Amino acid sequence: MSAARRVRDTLPLAPFLAVVTVFLLIPTVTVIVNAFVADGSFTLARIRALFTPAALSALRDSVLLSGATAVLGAVFGAVLAWLIVSSPPTSALRRTVLSLSSVLAQFGGVALAFAFLATIGLNGVLTLWVQQLFGFNLAASGWLYGLPGLILVYTYFQIPLMVIVFLPALEGLRPQWREAAVGLGASTWAYWREVAIPLLTPAFLGSALLLFANAFAAYATAAALVSQGSPILPLLIRASLVSEVVLGQEGFAYALACEMIVVVAVVMTAYNLLVRRSSRWLS
């Protein structure tokens, strides 16, 4: 293949490569460089700041939040995806659930936080209704504005996202495999235990890792819901950049962002390995 033909074949990718360079590569390189360079010289001071109690606490809570919502979203989303696959392809219920999943998976940020505040916040509709009827305060102790509340709110969009990413794996289970298992005398449970579950495990774990990365990097919902404190890394980065109490923390913010890049890169590498393994039988 001539050089001119190679250039012509890759030319349609130029806009995509430009977007990736401007919005992904350049910011990533900028964050990594500024995490190790201060005043024009190499330093590890900003990296050492990651081992302070505040940074370690934020990392722990971010991992806990991402892990909990990834597990909850993966389990409930996989069950919902299986129910969708079990329904006829032309059923109205299947089309409706898929459409809702596509919408709700993108429903986040300030709108989602406001929806929960208006429903089960201190003066939420459901909170006031339950309090009037049963004398019980759903928003007692302000749990919605802390880590438990973030887990509940994040799970709201993790479940439909799991449906979208895991559904192709369920649809990849060929009916011939089940017919062959039944023909050999296997029960339904034996088919799922010996054939379906082992085949679906890489796709399930890969989807769960994708949910972990999605929750780990989410910012807008937490920023709108948590007005005080910095329980997770994105909020600690915000506090480092806009704090009026402690100035000059931009370098610390670069180090935190670099830490997040490393965690997400590890998770996405594992995700790609699992997807590559599951693609062997999906194709």
Side-chain angles (χ1 to χ4, degrees):
M1 182 182 296
S2 63
R5 184 175 180 182
R6 285 197 298 266
V7 172
R8 185 178 67 252
D9 292 341
T10 58
L11 190 60
L13 295 176
F16 171 74
L17 295 176
V19 171
V20 170
T21 300
V22 173
F23 294 101
L24 180 62
L25 296 181
I26 293 178
T28 300
V29 173
T30 301
V31 166
I32 295 175
V33 170
N34 284 278
F36 291 93
V37 176
D39 297 328
S41 59
F42 178 82
T43 178
L44 293 177
R46 294 174 176 177
I47 300 300
R48 285 194 292 267
L50 297 177
F51 298 94
T52 59
L56 291 175
S57 177
L59 176 61
R60 181 198 63 210
D61 289 346
S62 292
V63 172
L64 177 60
L65 171 63
S66 304
T69 58
V71 171
L72 292 173
V75 172
F76 289 107
V79 173
L80 183 56
W82 175 74
L83 293 176
I84 294 174
V85 171
S86 301
S87 62
T90 58
S91 65
L93 178 62
R94 178 169 182 164
R95 294 196 301 268
T96 301
V97 174
L98 285 176
S99 299
L100 286 175
S101 297
S102 300
V103 174
L104 295 178
Q106 306 300 324
F107 183 59
V110 177
L112 180 60
F114 174 76
F116 273 88
L117 290 174
T119 304
I120 56 176
L122 293 175
N123 296 304
V125 175
L126 185 60
T127 301
L128 297 178
W129 183 75
V130 171
Q131 191 169 8
Q132 290 175 359
L133 291 181
F134 305 103
F136 177 73
N137 187 3
L138 288 177
S141 73
W143 62 271
L144 181 62
Y145 309 97
L147 192 61
L150 290 178
I151 292 176
L152 174 63
V153 176
Y154 277 37
T155 304
Y156 183 87
F157 59 78
Q158 293 279 64
I159 293 176
L161 179 60
M162 179 65 180
V163 172
I164 295 173
V165 299
F166 189 61
L167 191 62
L170 287 173
E171 292 177 335
L173 290 176
R174 300 176 184 176
Q176 295 86 345
W177 297 341
R178 183 164 189 167
E179 294 171 358
V182 172
L184 294 173
S187 62
T188 300
W189 168 241
Y191 162 75
W192 279 99
R193 184 182 68 249
E194 302 295 338
V195 180
I197 292 180
L199 289 174
L200 291 173
T201 296
F204 178 83
L205 294 178
S207 300
L209 289 175
L210 184 63
L211 297 185
F212 181 95
N214 181 57
F216 192 79
Y219 164 75
T221 302
L225 194 63
V226 180
S227 59
Q228 295 181 351
S230 305
I232 59 176
L233 286 177
L235 297 186
L236 187 57
I237 293 175
R238 179 191 65 177
S240 301
L241 292 174
V242 304
S243 176
E244 297 180 357
V245 178
V246 181
L247 302 177
Q249 293 295 310
E250 295 82 1
F252 182 46
Y254 280 120
L256 291 172
C258 183
E259 181 180 46
M260 292 189 65
I261 290 174
V262 171
V263 173
V264 172
V266 171
V267 172
M268 295 310 298
T269 300
Y271 166 75
N272 288 327
L273 293 175
L274 290 170
V275 168
R276 185 181 304 174
R277 181 176 179 179
S278 62
S279 65
R280 297 174 183 175
W281 58 267
L282 278 175
S283 59

